Amino acid sequence: MKTEHAPTIQRADYRPLSWTVETVDLHFRLDAEATLVTNRMRCVRNRDAAEGPIRLWGEALERVSLTVDGAAPTAVREADGALEIDASGDAVLVEVVTRVNPRANTTLSGLYLSNGGFFTQCEAEGFRRITCFPDRPDVMARYTVTLEADRAACPVLLSNGNLVEEGLLPEGRHYAKWEDPFPKPSYLFALVAAKLVALERRVTTMSGREVLLQVWVEAGNLDRVEHAMDSLVHSMRWDEESFGLELDLDRFMIVAVADFNMGAMENKGLNIFNTKFILAKPDTATDLDYENVESVVAHEYFHNWTGNRVTCRDWFQLTLKEGLTVFRDQQFSADMLARAAGPEGAASARAVKRIDDVRVLRAAQFPEDGGPMAHPIRPDSYQEINNFYTATVYEKGAEVIRMLHTLLGQEGFRNGMDLYFSYFDGQAVTCDDFVEVMSEANNGFDLDQFMRWYEQAGTPRVKASGVWNAADGSYTLTLAQSTPATPGQHVKQPLVIPVAVGLIGADGRDVALRLEGEAQAGACTRVLKLTEDVQVFRFVGVSAEPVPSLLRGFSAPVILELDEDDARLAFRMAHDADPCNRWDAAQRYAERVALALAADPAAVVPEAFVAAFRTLLNDGALDPAFRAQALALPGEAYLLERMSPADPAALRSALVRMMRALGATLAADWLEVVERLQLAGAYRYHPGDAGRRALVNLALRYLAAAGMADGLALAEARFADATNMTERFGALAALVQSTSPARAAALQAFHDRHRDDALVLDKWFALQAGAWRWGDAAEPALARVRVLLSDPAFSLSNPNKVYALLGTFFRANPGEFHAADGSGHAFWVEQVIALDARNPQVAARMARALENWRHFTPALQASIRPQLERVLAAPGLSADVAEIVGKALGA
Ligand code: B3K
Ligand code: ZN
């Protein structure tokens, strides 16, 4: 384990290595406490690099032997965690034997144990915890891997590529040999040795090759892998149809493991997944779980081309594969939802997906961009790369790709992708390479200024103002952009911002747009290209004062500032032809009310606001899934960022008052929704059904929050009778977020029913950690969390449990976490330090919960600062947590 705080690595310092690796022959003698790893690699001199030694990084390894061309090397040094070996000639055979202890490896990076099986996680720098290696993504080698293990304990032995040999060994052991035909960086290496079973399917690829697909799980979970397998098949088809990209292996494997730091990992031909994103059956998984399984399976599968065949030169380029792959999985999910919804519902289904993506961006990425961890999608420096698998690199990165798609058009984008693969297949490249190729494939489309999206951190503001001139029927729209300073980046240049615009007439219909100088009016939505600090756009032929609808479809990852009174927001909630903006109008209105209520404890929820919600709720022409999105209040994390200073207690009180007012005043409407939209019959995962369930669950939430007796009775009945997890959990959540006396018994019943199911218990932990206080007598969430910490089903060693209980409390329950007495903050210190000793990556994620502390009230800042300082002073703190807390303190 790293014990010293790490130095800062700079993007500008990238240099190719003097020696790289052509082939790697790995042999594992797997043993829980002492696994012997023999690594024979053919190292070759890199003619494009400066002269220097062979560099092999290693971490937490016991070195047994090291030879170069069969002899002890003459000169070996250790520098910066790497061995440096002087070598002559153009190629040498290096053999290094190391011993590792998988059982002692609680970091879940490198080779570790989970439920008696062996698993690996190498991205970003876990391979060096398995063997000494030039562990960088620009070293692409061909791997042969032999695994040897006890046959009874580990009947299944898997690695990347194709199985070329297997057999029995003395003493109840066996072996398997795998060969990966494609050169790959070390971060894509994987092995699994465990007791698993597979669901298999054979499918034919677009070129007519038959391939074997396998999803490996523990035997008891075989009844919940069908959906993951279907998702994999759909992903394969989609990549063939959308990008002409085919699976390049004869066999593609997915393995599910219960102990995993993140969602999943795209190892070549052997994806390893957190069970949370594989296992789904109606009784244990919600609609959201089904959706997540589909999109994560797709995401990892799509990496096979965007990430694996073309990879990153260095870790600063992470968004090259992540932003692009998130964009691809978003497009895939939108297509899947649209297809299932049918021609009538397709547009709305796509919009609902887009709204989901925007919600995530606003809740997670905007706060990151406004805090001490703000970084460009391609960072310039880091201390610990694992801290940079961020919402900025992933989600904002995907928005940047989406803007390219908008600017170049579908065909231009596809041409760019084709050219990208034709130039760079089998190589490790940079974001500049990607953007240049996009330009080249589009007649030299100028993307120089666009590159600033890769260079500048911070969320740009676009301030808009419009003036209608009755005399000449013109509408003048002025757009001004600015990006606030971020740590280390004080001056910002103007960006290329595509702003999709519509003008709504008084009748609620869009006006056909005609810019000054154009012969005739065209489409109702136009994409304006904002490239200067300030730009003026003049529309003509506008016969009556319009209501502007800007940034349609959320055409750029910016904050739009537009003066709109309540009446305009209500008008757009009812009429905006762009569903994203209709949703956004409701969110803006709710935000305005929430912030006003937070500022004044005596204020009441305005009637006009409730009426606007009622109109949306009762608009039967609107897809229930859309209504569920539009009628849900904005996320607390997002609202806190919009509040200055952020006061979580005041905001919580405002949200409670809003939930109660909307629940009570609209009680009859909500009850009717439940009545009308309830589904009978067997569960199926389908967007239409999911939308209805989502709206019914939201109705129950409002009714229960308001303490409406009918609503509570309905929630109790639905909890008791539910035939699937979406309904059961929806009803339980409504009861828990209320003063219902049935609350405790329902939680207990849920627990007892699912006591043997780790993933369902995670929901149970999260629900309690996220509970608000509805009555004066209610228990503080912290007291409950403390009790649950010693629940036999809880474990600090399992990341899913930590994210469910502590993650939810720290990150999704600000009203309770930031209790005025500071108890939440003191608890945070305890937990971050306890976690850091086991698993720095998980600890660092929890540590991030307080990074935006300077946005809070002075009293909260005074409570938080000493706690951050306590963590930073803790002996043996990991580089992971030190970077987060150090940056939070401005150290
Ligand atoms: N590439 C992995 C993430 C690895 C995180 C390492 N700390 C999953 C993904 O983005 O697909
Ligand atoms: Zn990814």
Side-chain angles (χ1 to χ4, degrees):
M1 189 171 307
K2 293 178 196 169
T3 47
E4 288 163 25
H5 303 174
T8 298
I9 321 269
Q10 306 287 345
R11 181 166 65 88
D13 289 346
Y14 172 82
R15 299 287 178 277
L17 288 170
S18 307
W19 291 76
T20 70
V21 178
E22 223 169 55
T23 57
V24 190
D25 187 353
L26 287 169
H27 184 280
F28 289 85
R29 207 176 73 202
L30 291 164
D31 177 274
E33 271 108 28
T35 289
L36 201 67
V37 186
T38 304
N39 167 10
R40 291 186 195 90
M41 50 195 151
R42 187 178 142 84
C43 297
V44 292
R45 191 181 288 281
N46 183 1
R47 291 274 160 219
D48 299 332
E51 290 262 324
I54 298 172
R55 298 188 72 195
L56 308 174
W57 281 266
E59 188 181 299
L61 299 173
E62 183 192 331
R63 202 160 79 232
V64 177
S65 67
L66 171 70
T67 60
V68 177
D69 284 335
T74 43
V76 182
R77 299 170 297 277
E78 290 201 35
D80 302 331
L83 291 178
E84 294 187 350
I85 306 168
D86 292 332
S88 52
D90 281 338
V92 290
L93 186 75
V94 176
E95 183 187 283
V96 50
V97 180
T98 50
R99 199 176 289 118
V100 294
N101 183 344
R103 193 187 300 287
N105 182 5
T106 56
T107 65
L108 311 189
S109 163
L111 177 66
Y112 65 92
L113 287 185
S114 173
N115 204 11
F118 295 84
F119 299 84
T120 56
Q121 170 55 36
C122 292
E123 190 176 359
E125 296 177 338
F127 193 68
R128 65 187 64 181
R129 299 171 57 84
I130 295 175
T131 183
C132 298
F133 198 76
D135 187 17
R136 298 192 349 180
D138 57 349
V139 177
M140 295 178 85
R142 279 212 312 281
Y143 286 65
T144 305
V145 179
T146 307
L147 307 175
E148 194 198 306
D150 183 82
R151 195 165 163 235
C154 300
V156 174
L157 304 175
L158 310 174
S159 191
N160 317 82
N162 301 315
L163 178 64
V164 291
E165 207 183 307
E166 59 187 333
L168 297 179
L169 294 169
E171 295 171 10
R173 292 176 72 82
H174 68 151
Y175 76 96
K177 185 172 176 185
W178 294 79
E179 247 174 41
D180 186 349
F182 294 96
K184 64 167 175 287
S186 50
Y187 81 86
L188 292 174
F189 164 81
L191 75 77
V192 171
K195 200 180 237 172
L196 302 170
V197 293
L199 173 69
E200 296 195 339
R201 212 174 276 180
R202 282 175 202 280
V203 297
T204 307
T205 67
M206 65 193 249
S207 71
R209 272 187 314 114
E210 189 180 278
V211 296
L212 172 64
L213 309 180
Q214 295 178 315
V215 182
W216 292 93
V217 294
E218 288 181 5
N221 288 329
L222 203 53
D223 63 341
R224 37 181 124 173
V225 287
E226 196 85 25
H227 178 62
M229 179 62 92
D230 288 344
S231 303
L232 177 59
V233 174
H234 293 147
S235 309
M236 288 177 61
R237 291 286 170 253
W238 186 88
D239 223 9
E240 291 178 346
E241 286 161 16
S242 312
F243 287 99
L245 297 172
E246 189 179 26
L247 177 61
D248 54 7
L249 292 160
D250 301 334
R251 155 183 331 220
F252 188 87
M253 298 169 281
I254 290 179
V255 176
V257 59
D259 299 290
F260 204 67
N261 282 344
M262 61 272 167
M265 179 64 212
E266 70 264 25
N267 317 297
K268 183 78 187 185
L270 179 58
N271 288 186
I272 298 184
F273 270 64
N274 188 323
T275 45
K276 180 175 165 62
F277 295 110
I278 286 296
L279 306 180
K281 65 177 177 182
D283 191 49
T284 58
T286 60
D287 289 323
L288 180 63
D289 293 323
Y290 273 82
E291 208 177 310
N292 287 339
V293 167
E294 184 176 78
S295 91
V296 180
V297 166
H299 180 98
E300 306 310 330
Y301 176 75
F302 297 156
H303 267 316
N304 191 47
W305 281 94
T306 49
N308 301 4
R309 287 287 288 252
V310 182
T311 196
C312 303
R313 187 193 71 175
D314 55 74
W315 290 121
F316 295 102
Q317 317 298 329
L318 186 56
T319 200
L320 173 79
K321 73 178 177 84
E322 295 304 348
L324 179 55
T325 304
V326 171
F327 173 71
R328 275 153 52 70
D329 84 53
Q330 290 178 348
Q331 297 290 81
F332 163 77
S333 295
D335 284 350
M336 293 296 292
L337 290 165
R339 186 191 307 172
E344 297 274 288
S348 176
R350 282 182 195 285
V352 168
K353 168 64 183 154
R354 182 71 187 129
I355 289 166
D356 267 333
D357 299 339
V358 175
R359 240 187 217 282
V360 171
L361 189 84
R362 286 183 175 172
Q365 200 276 327
F366 281 16
E368 181 167 278
D369 237 351
M373 274 290 286
H375 52 277
I377 63 168
R378 183 189 59 191
D380 290 316
S381 66
Y382 60 75
Q383 290 167 32
E384 172 49 64
I385 184 57
N386 286 316
N387 285 333
F388 284 80
Y389 287 75
T390 57
T392 299
V393 166
Y394 277 66
E395 270 71 35
K396 186 176 180 180
E399 294 298 321
V400 170
I401 301 293
R402 184 178 293 275
M403 288 189 288
L404 267 180
H405 185 269
T406 303
L407 294 170
L408 302 175
Q410 165 63 27
E411 204 186 315
F413 186 80
R414 169 69 199 268
N415 290 340
M417 290 292 284
D418 289 352
L419 198 62
Y420 176 64
F421 293 117
S422 81
Y423 282 2
F424 299 124
D425 188 13
Q427 296 181 42
V429 304
T430 65
C431 298
D432 302 87
D433 293 325
F434 178 78
V435 175
E436 274 165 29
V437 96
M438 283 285 157
S439 163
E440 186 181 330
N442 287 277
N443 307 313
F445 193 102
D446 186 355
L447 291 170
D448 289 353
Q449 188 185 352
F450 188 84
M451 266 318 283
R452 288 182 189 154
W453 281 107
Y454 286 84
E455 293 155 6
Q456 286 187 179
T459 308
R461 272 52 174 175
V462 172
K463 197 171 170 53
S465 56
V467 178
W468 177 66
N469 184 333
D472 64 1
S474 69
Y475 183 78
T476 307
L477 180 66
T478 305
L479 300 177
Q481 62 165 307
S482 64
T483 303
T486 50
Q489 234 186 27
H490 300 291
V491 183
K492 308 280 182 177
Q493 305 295 330
L495 296 153
V496 179
I497 303 181
V499 182
V501 173
L503 297 178
I504 313 171
D507 58 357
R509 300 165 82 102
D510 270 5
V511 176
L513 299 180
R514 182 173 154 204
L515 277 168
E516 190 171 36
E518 289 177 347
Q520 57 191 35
C524 293
T525 300
R526 292 284 287 266
V527 179
L528 306 177
K529 226 164 106 178
L530 175 62
T531 56
E532 313 283 326
D533 286 325
V534 183
Q535 252 168 285
V536 176
F537 301 89
R538 201 153 167 268
F539 295 96
V540 293
V542 187
S543 56
E545 177 161 24
V547 170
S549 166
L550 306 178
L551 209 68
R552 284 188 157 175
F554 199 67
S555 57
V558 303
I559 293 175
L560 174 70
E561 294 172 352
L562 174 67
D563 257 339
E564 286 180 295
D565 59 15
D566 293 355
R568 271 211 173 174
L569 287 173
F571 177 81
R572 288 207 300 112
M573 270 174 78
H575 299 295
D576 202 317
D578 180 67
C580 276
N581 270 14
R582 213 165 162 183
W583 164 78
D584 184 57
Q587 296 288 294
R588 281 172 188 259
Y589 203 170
E591 171 184 327
R592 178 174 301 179
V593 172
L595 298 188
L597 262 64
D600 177 4
V604 293
V605 179
E607 271 173 35
F609 171 72
V610 179
F613 259 56
R614 172 177 273 140
T615 308
L616 251 183
L617 172 58
N618 293 331
D619 187 342
L622 287 173
D623 177 8
F626 174 80
R627 279 185 276 163
Q629 289 276 20
L631 298 167
L633 298 181
E636 235 173 338
Y638 174 69
L639 289 174
L640 279 177
E641 283 300 312
R642 310 280 298 160
M643 201 176 180
S644 188
D647 183 345
L651 179 65
R652 175 60 60 82
S653 141
L655 293 174
V656 165
R657 281 179 279 156
M658 286 171 81
M659 292 289 296
R660 285 189 168 142
L662 289 164
T665 318
L666 304 182
D669 309 77
W670 292 119
L671 284 166
E672 202 190 315
V673 157
V674 178
E675 175 87 3
R676 179 127 32 99
L677 297 183
Q678 286 210 86
L679 286 158
Y683 174 93
R684 58 174 189 153
Y685 170 63
H686 180 274
D689 288 5
R692 289 171 70 145
R693 284 188 284 264
L695 189 54
V696 168
N697 281 341
L698 186 73
L700 295 177
R701 282 288 286 273
Y702 275 110
L703 289 164
M708 307 310 291
D710 295 2
L712 288 170
L714 263 176
E716 279 182 59
R718 270 176 75 89
F719 176 72
D721 303 338
T723 57
N724 60 74
M725 180 53 78
T726 309
E727 292 180 353
R728 183 175 313 118
F729 191 68
L732 179 65
L735 291 172
V736 168
Q737 295 287 24
S738 80
T739 53
S740 163
R743 191 179 181 274
L747 274 168
Q748 189 62 45
F750 186 85
H751 174 272
D752 294 348
R753 182 185 174 117
H754 299 287
R755 63 165 72 245
D756 298 321
D757 192 315
L759 292 176
V760 181
L761 288 182
D762 290 343
K763 299 181 192 301
W764 181 79
F765 282 116
L767 191 58
Q768 297 174 79
W772 298 9
R773 252 184 282 180
W774 293 91
D776 292 340
E779 183 186 29
L782 177 57
R784 187 96 291 258
V785 170
R786 280 203 183 274
V787 170
L788 292 172
L789 267 184
S790 27
D791 190 282
F794 184 80
S795 162
L796 269 193
S797 308
N798 175 257
N800 286 355
K801 290 278 169 294
V802 173
Y803 301 148
L805 187 64
L806 301 177
T808 305
F809 179 62
F810 295 146
R811 305 195 72 153
N813 200 352
E816 292 288 306
F817 175 39
H818 298 292
D821 63 3
S823 53
H825 305 142
F827 176 70
W828 172 86
V829 176
E830 274 172 43
Q831 299 307 317
V832 168
I833 290 176
L835 282 167
D836 196 40
R838 293 163 204 260
N839 189 331
Q841 284 186 43
V842 172
R845 273 169 85 161
M846 295 302 105
R848 294 200 59 186
L850 283 179
E851 73 188 24
N852 283 1
W853 66 287
R854 288 188 210 270
H855 299 188
F856 289 119
T857 58
L860 285 175
Q861 288 192 34
S863 163
I864 295 169
R865 178 194 278 276
Q867 307 295 11
L868 288 165
E869 285 166 348
R870 269 176 67 198
V871 170
L872 196 59
L877 195 68
S878 68
D880 308 58
V881 174
E883 177 169 33
I884 302 299
V885 177
K887 285 182 174 168
L889 284 165

